[in-house]
Amino acid sequence: MGSTMDKVKGMANEATGNVKQAAGKAMDKPELEAEGFAQERKGEAQQALGKGKDAVKKVVDKA
């Protein structure tokens, strides 16, 4: 998967996670809130992976 796709999927997971957390809080469902928290962290990791791929590509392109 390319770096852009990683970042896009990461943003989507992060946004979905935030919505799930808010819904879990509003409906007093800690399981949903926890699921949202985990999904948000997954999204952050995906974005970091995409940024890491960009950094490696820049180094390789300079070589």
Side-chain angles (χ1 to χ4, degrees), residues 44-59:
E44 290 171 355
Q46 283 175 314
Q47 288 184 61
L49 176 63
K51 290 176 184 176
K53 285 181 181 180
D54 283 343
V56 169
K57 184 177 182 324
K58 285 180 184 177
V59 170

Side-chain angles (χ1 to χ4, degrees), residues 9 13 23 28-29 35 48 61:
K9 283 188 172 189
N13 271 320
D28 195 28
K29 293 191 174 186
E35 183 181 325
D61 288 345

